[in-house]
Amino acid sequence: MSTAGQVIRCRAAVAWESGKPLSIEEVEVAPPQKDEVRIKILFTSLCHTDVYFWDAKGQNPLFPRILGHEAGGIVESVGEGVTDLKPGDHVLPIFTGECKECPHCLSEESNMCDLLRINTDRVGMINDGKSRFSINGKPIYHFLGTSTFSEYTVVHVGQVAKINPHAPLDKVCVLSCGMSTGFGATVNVAKPKKGQSVAIFGLGAVGLAAAEGARVSGASRIIGVDLNPSRFEQAKKFGVTEFVNPKDYNKPVQEVIVEMTGGGVDRSVECTGSIQAMISAFECVHDGWGVAVLVGVPNKDDEFKTHPVNLLNEKTLKGTFFGNYKPRSDIPAVVEKYMNKELELDKFITHTVPFSEINKAFELMLAGEGLRCVIRMDA
Ligand code: NAD
Ligand code: ZN
């Protein structure tokens, strides 16, 4: 029996207030409206951004809310005007969008869509500002336009990547955010040439995805930099060949790396969010050709300070958002890279929990254990 056009009642994990365990509730999910798609979520994974907004320290506390933005699912029904998706399509919802019409979407160089760029304060749909989720008629807020901690969710069509139906959704779901961000930062922005050296600052999930990008690019040396030595063992599996802990030296880590490499690394990718690491990542690249790419999200008041001579000496500083990928145009091809075994994802998935135990995924992340915990919605 088709559920199209009807309200669906299903389970969702609702965050009622900051820092309190999510509670599994029965919610009503309204049908998709113009330019919207209703998706049955099969797998979702937990990313730091979910935890930041659940914790809501330094963020606008917006509750009750359904969090979640890394996921894979199947289109259940589509709203008016949706022509490029149909029920049964396999999709990844993405926290940022691609309207295909604005100056950014029309530019080959940008993925920062004017209409659907990430907006962490938006709690309803773009169409009418309203939520499609409710409990006994009381609205529950959306998160990043995705809200994947629900068996069904409604997403703007511009935030949905249609992927190969043979791709295992329990693996490729991690391409919705973190893995694509790190991987794209290296392959799309730092663009190391075969045989070059790459330094990765921060060996969390995003940094290890950046290291995977360096491995795939044929980097000769992948130097991992982290303050936490427990990150090093795991990073070996990701092709990181050398490790530097800034705490082990009494001089700036950029000087250590310049010495190790006889003048600096060819490329560096910063995935920490620490302003100090951002500056080091820039200053440790080779003059004449080195490129540094910033990925980490800094603190509100941070300022980047370096001597302009570093730039005159032809070191390049760049930053990237979502690995420069356009969600609808580019992500399907990243899924194909996984299918062709060019890109490895399984090693990022260190834990799996049933939806009923979603709070365990939060506990693991808060304890700094593992990289990605995949949540199975059918259990
Ligand atoms: P994580 O916390 O798992 O990993 C960060 C690592 O950096 C940790 O191992 C930590 O020990 C290390 N670190 C911290 N300060 C350091 C320093 N000064 N020098 C060396 N290492 C240091 O985080 P993650 O989930 O991998 O995310 C990394 C960053 O990427 C975060 O800032 C996150 O907000 C950001 N991010 C950016 C985008 C984007 O589009 N630009 C998207 C997703 C995530
Ligand atoms: Zn756009």
Side-chain angles (χ1 to χ4, degrees), residues 119-136:
N119 179 343
T120 57
D121 288 334
R122 190 190 295 134
V123 295
M125 298 306 290
I126 279 195
N127 248 350
D128 56 4
K130 295 208 178 98
S131 175
R132 302 287 174 261
F133 297 110
S134 58
I135 295 182
N136 299 323

Side-chain angles (χ1 to χ4, degrees), residues 97-106 112-117:
E98 178 185 357
C99 74
K100 296 197 174 180
E101 285 168 15
C102 75
H104 287 274
C105 288
L106 295 176
M112 310 225 16
C113 174
D114 278 332
L115 182 70
L116 295 163
R117 185 183 302 187

Side-chain angles (χ1 to χ4, degrees), residues 57-314:
K57 289 197 186 96
Q59 312 292 353
N60 241 348
L62 296 164
F63 298 98
R65 206 171 198 186
I66 298 175
L67 299 165
H69 64 287
E70 274 193 6
I74 298 178
V75 174
E76 173 268 340
S77 62
V78 301
E80 186 199 324
V82 175
T83 53
D84 53 356
L85 286 171
K86 58 182 188 312
D89 282 345
H90 286 220
V91 294
L92 304 182
I94 313 278
F95 64 94
T96 185
E98 178 185 357
C99 74
K100 296 197 174 180
E101 285 168 15
C102 75
H104 287 274
C105 288
L106 295 176
S107 157
E108 269 181 29
E109 295 177 308
S110 172
N111 67 343
M112 310 225 16
C113 174
D114 278 332
L115 182 70
L116 295 163
R117 185 183 302 187
I118 186 171
N119 179 343
T120 57
D121 288 334
R122 190 190 295 134
V123 295
M125 298 306 290
I126 279 195
N127 248 350
D128 56 4
K130 295 208 178 98
S131 175
R132 302 287 174 261
F133 297 110
S134 58
I135 295 182
N136 299 323
K138 183 182 179 299
I140 308 292
Y141 292 153
H142 290 250
F143 176 62
L144 304 182
T146 52
S147 292
T148 59
F149 295 164
S150 176
E151 291 175 309
Y152 287 86
T153 188
V154 176
V155 181
H156 191 285
V157 66
Q159 289 183 242
V160 182
K162 178 179 167 178
I163 62 161
N164 183 341
H166 301 295
L169 289 169
D170 59 335
K171 304 291 190 302
V172 298
C173 62
V174 300
L175 287 172
S176 276
C177 172
M179 306 311 85
S180 296
T181 295
F183 188 75
T186 303
V187 302
N188 295 335
V189 190
K191 295 185 183 162
K193 300 187 171 89
K194 204 170 181 339
Q196 285 192 323
S197 57
V198 181
I200 308 287
F201 284 72
L203 301 173
V206 175
L208 292 174
E212 178 67 6
R215 183 189 72 78
V216 167
S217 305
S220 58
R221 293 173 78 177
I222 306 177
I223 303 171
V225 185
D226 203 297
L227 299 171
N228 177 356
S230 75
R231 294 281 192 184
F232 295 161
E233 197 49 46
Q234 187 173 45
K236 287 182 188 160
K237 283 192 224 135
F238 292 78
V240 178
T241 50
E242 291 157 82
F243 298 96
V244 177
N245 186 341
K247 286 188 188 157
D248 292 345
Y249 300 88
N250 50 18
K251 59 183 168 193
V253 68
Q254 51 270 50
E255 287 177 24
V256 176
I257 294 173
V258 166
E259 278 167 26
M260 276 170 77
T261 52
V265 281
D266 300 308
R267 300 289 185 264
S268 73
V269 186
E270 176 280 331
C271 308
T272 67
S274 148
I275 185 68
Q276 205 44 59
M278 294 180 192
I279 294 166
S280 304
F282 173 56
E283 294 184 350
C284 78
V285 299
H286 206 288
D287 53 6
W289 61 77
V291 179
V293 178
L294 307 187
V295 177
V297 177
N299 289 325
K300 203 160 82 316
D301 301 322
D302 284 339
E303 287 185 15
F304 189 97
K305 196 162 171 280
T306 192
H307 200 284
V309 150
N310 288 317
L311 291 147
L312 302 181
N313 286 347
E314 301 177 0

